[in-house]
Amino acid sequence: MMGVMTSEETRTMTPPTASGSAPAGTPAPHGAPAARDDRERGGREGSGRERGGASPRAWTMRVLVLGIVLSALNLRPAITSLGALLEEVRDGLGMSGSVAGLLTSVPPLCFAVFGVMAPRLARRFGAGAVVCAGMVAIATGLLVRPYAGGTAGFLAASALALMGIAVSNVLMPVIVKHWFPDRVGSMTGLYSMALALGTALAAAVTVPLTDALGGSWQSGLVLWASLAVAAVLPWLPFVRGRVTPPGARDAAGQGGPDAAGTGPAPEVPRLRITRSRTAWALAVFFGLQATAAYITMGWMAQIFRDAGVPAGTAGLLLAVTMVMGVPLAFVIPRLATRLPHQGPIVIALGVCGLAGYAGLYLAPAAGAWAWALLLGVANCAFPLALTMVGMRARTGQGVAQLSAFAQSTGYLISIPGPLLVGVLYQHSGGWGLPIALMSALMVPQMAVGVLAGRNRTVEDEAAA
């Protein structure tokens, strides 16, 4: 899939020419002829292509797609692997239910605090360098946290990994918008699909691997650091801005650094993003869907275990919920980019969520697989929100600001949800009140999602 999408991109993007007649990043018309081979191009591009081989630009795009996919695979295992072993971690560290609820609230807190820093870091160092550093932070945090000693050390190491996830969360839509301007839906679908795959994989195999490694929850958590180490490598060529997007040119007519793609860029006037109603609607939608997602990732396996489902099966049920995002995360963004209004998709996902919560309340064990499927569909509000971030702004700078605002504000909104679920669970002694809370939050999520799905741009609203 990566090769196909990369080849499509290299066919549809206009390469820089000596004349510089095409504006930076201008897409080639659909149906434009593919690049000729070396014998046809003769000496014009002899230095840019070896005989019989792919061009350096094509290899750059393939490495970038690989980096995006590997990074997306790392954006949730730190969370879902913990959810699968939450009971063992609680026992090992002596956590109460309320402290465990605090632990499940740490991801959105870190995403809110650190995500807002991502655009500024990208302007200074380049998005590629920031994502590379983010992967290093994830790997380090996952290596340290099982052996940090005590709840405080565990939380601190988790925060380091989540910091890396936060900046990568914000910058992925920016990189996609800039490097693949005519493939926003496809590329958003690709990395959303990889994100869902990583989420499901961690939920499904953490418990079996822990058992295979001797039953130590430390071993079950630390193994995910290796995936983050692998994700560092494709970003190394982008750290110093040595590569640029197709068609990117500086003032002198040469390829130069770019804030969204690789290296640092000059400051440009910032949008007054808080003036945009669409930005606020998208932020609240993002926050409510994140609340549902982190409650699901942190507590759903425990709901099934308390209903009498074995631990291994509960992990598989969580994996089913997460794996539903693999095909749907690729389909939904492509469908969303073809619709003038994304409200109908928002409503459909919300109805699935309400049905899943009703099932968890009425028959959590008897219909467990059906409820896991329905909640998996509902969780695909996340790739839809990412797609709308790319659609609600016209420019790379606008996408960067909207992504940072929507995600940081949204994750702030989502912080109380998992914590409140833990408190309600501990003090009520059951899951009735927590499930009622989850259901109640789905209604405003659908309402603001419809508002965020309107065909408008934040640049127009901010200017007005």
Side-chain angles (χ1 to χ4, degrees):
M1 181 180 292
M2 288 188 295
V4 172
M5 297 186 70
T6 304
S7 62
E8 288 178 358
E9 181 65 21
T10 54
R11 286 198 301 268
T12 56
M13 296 299 299
T14 305
T17 62
S19 62
S21 57
T26 304
H30 288 292
R36 299 182 180 88
D37 61 21
D38 293 333
R39 288 173 296 180
E40 293 174 324
R41 299 179 74 91
R44 287 179 296 171
E45 293 189 1
S47 60
R49 184 191 296 266
E50 296 180 3
R51 187 176 301 275
S55 68
R57 179 65 65 190
W59 282 110
T60 295
M61 301 303 287
R62 290 184 181 124
V63 170
L64 179 62
V65 172
L66 177 62
I68 290 172
V69 170
L70 285 175
S71 297
L73 285 171
N74 280 279
L75 295 183
R76 293 300 179 269
I79 303 165
T80 50
S81 61
L82 176 60
L85 295 173
L86 183 59
E87 186 171 314
E88 288 75 11
V89 173
R90 285 176 59 189
D91 292 341
L93 298 178
M95 291 183 187
S96 67
S98 298
V99 174
L102 176 62
L103 182 61
T104 58
S105 294
V106 169
L109 174 62
C110 290
F111 294 167
V113 172
F114 298 119
V116 74
M117 300 162 51
R120 180 175 297 179
L121 292 172
R123 287 194 299 271
R124 182 173 178 83
F125 302 106
V130 176
V131 173
C132 185
M135 294 301 110
V136 172
I138 295 171
T140 304
L142 294 183
L143 280 170
V144 170
R145 78 173 178 177
Y147 309 104
T151 301
F154 190 93
L155 288 171
S158 295
L160 176 62
L162 294 167
M163 177 178 66
I165 296 173
V167 295
S168 301
N169 272 339
V170 171
L171 294 179
M172 283 296 168
V174 181
I175 291 172
V176 167
K177 179 78 169 182
H178 195 78
W179 283 78
F180 305 94
D182 57 346
R183 294 289 186 271
V184 170
S186 297
M187 288 302 301
T188 301
L190 179 63
Y191 81 76
S192 297
M193 186 170 62
L195 188 152
L197 180 60
T199 306
L201 188 65
V205 306
T206 297
V207 171
L209 286 177
T210 300
D211 294 339
L213 293 171
S216 168
W217 61 266
Q218 288 93 340
S219 299
L221 293 181
V222 77
L223 61 89
W224 295 103
S226 58
L227 184 61
V229 171
V232 173
L233 303 178
W235 292 103
L236 294 177
F238 299 87
V239 168
R240 294 182 178 274
R242 294 188 293 269
V243 288
T244 56
R249 309 176 68 83
D250 60 17
Q254 304 295 325
D258 189 281
T262 51
E267 291 284 344
V268 296
R270 290 175 57 82
L271 294 172
R272 296 183 178 180
I273 197 77
T274 54
R275 290 186 173 184
S276 169
R277 294 181 179 179
T278 297
W280 279 107
L282 189 53
V284 176
F285 176 69
F286 202 99
L288 292 175
Q289 68 80 28
T291 300
Y294 287 107
I295 290 173
T296 298
M297 285 187 280
W299 289 109
M300 197 178 83
Q302 191 65 49
I303 294 174
F304 287 127
R305 291 177 72 168
D306 287 351
V309 177
T313 305
L316 286 176
L317 287 165
L318 179 59
V320 167
T321 299
M322 299 299 110
V323 84
M324 286 300 296
V326 176
L328 291 179
F330 190 70
V331 172
I332 288 176
R334 294 170 66 89
L335 176 62
T337 56
R338 287 167 170 76
L339 295 177
H341 195 305
Q342 290 73 48
I345 305 177
V346 172
I347 296 296
L349 298 180
V351 169
C352 289
L354 290 172
Y357 292 140
L360 280 182
Y361 180 80
L362 296 173
W369 296 99
W371 318 142
L373 288 170
L374 286 168
L375 291 174
V377 175
N379 276 351
C380 288
F382 176 72
L384 176 61
L386 291 180
T387 305
M388 288 196 288
V389 167
M391 296 177 67
R392 299 286 88 90
R394 287 195 304 268
T395 65
Q397 177 71 10
V399 172
Q401 286 188 240
L402 178 59
S403 181
F405 176 75
Q407 294 199 44
S408 296
T409 305
Y411 284 126
L412 278 174
I413 293 171
S414 71
I415 289 170
L419 176 60
L420 186 56
V421 165
V423 172
L424 290 175
Y425 170 57
Q426 180 174 344
H427 290 282
S428 68
W431 288 104
L433 287 177
I435 292 173
L437 173 66
M438 301 177 211
S439 302
L441 291 176
M442 187 60 68
V443 177
Q445 176 181 322
M446 295 163 66
V448 294
V450 170
L451 293 176
R454 295 174 300 174
N455 187 16
R456 303 184 181 186
T457 64
V458 293
E459 287 91 348
D460 292 341
E461 292 184 344

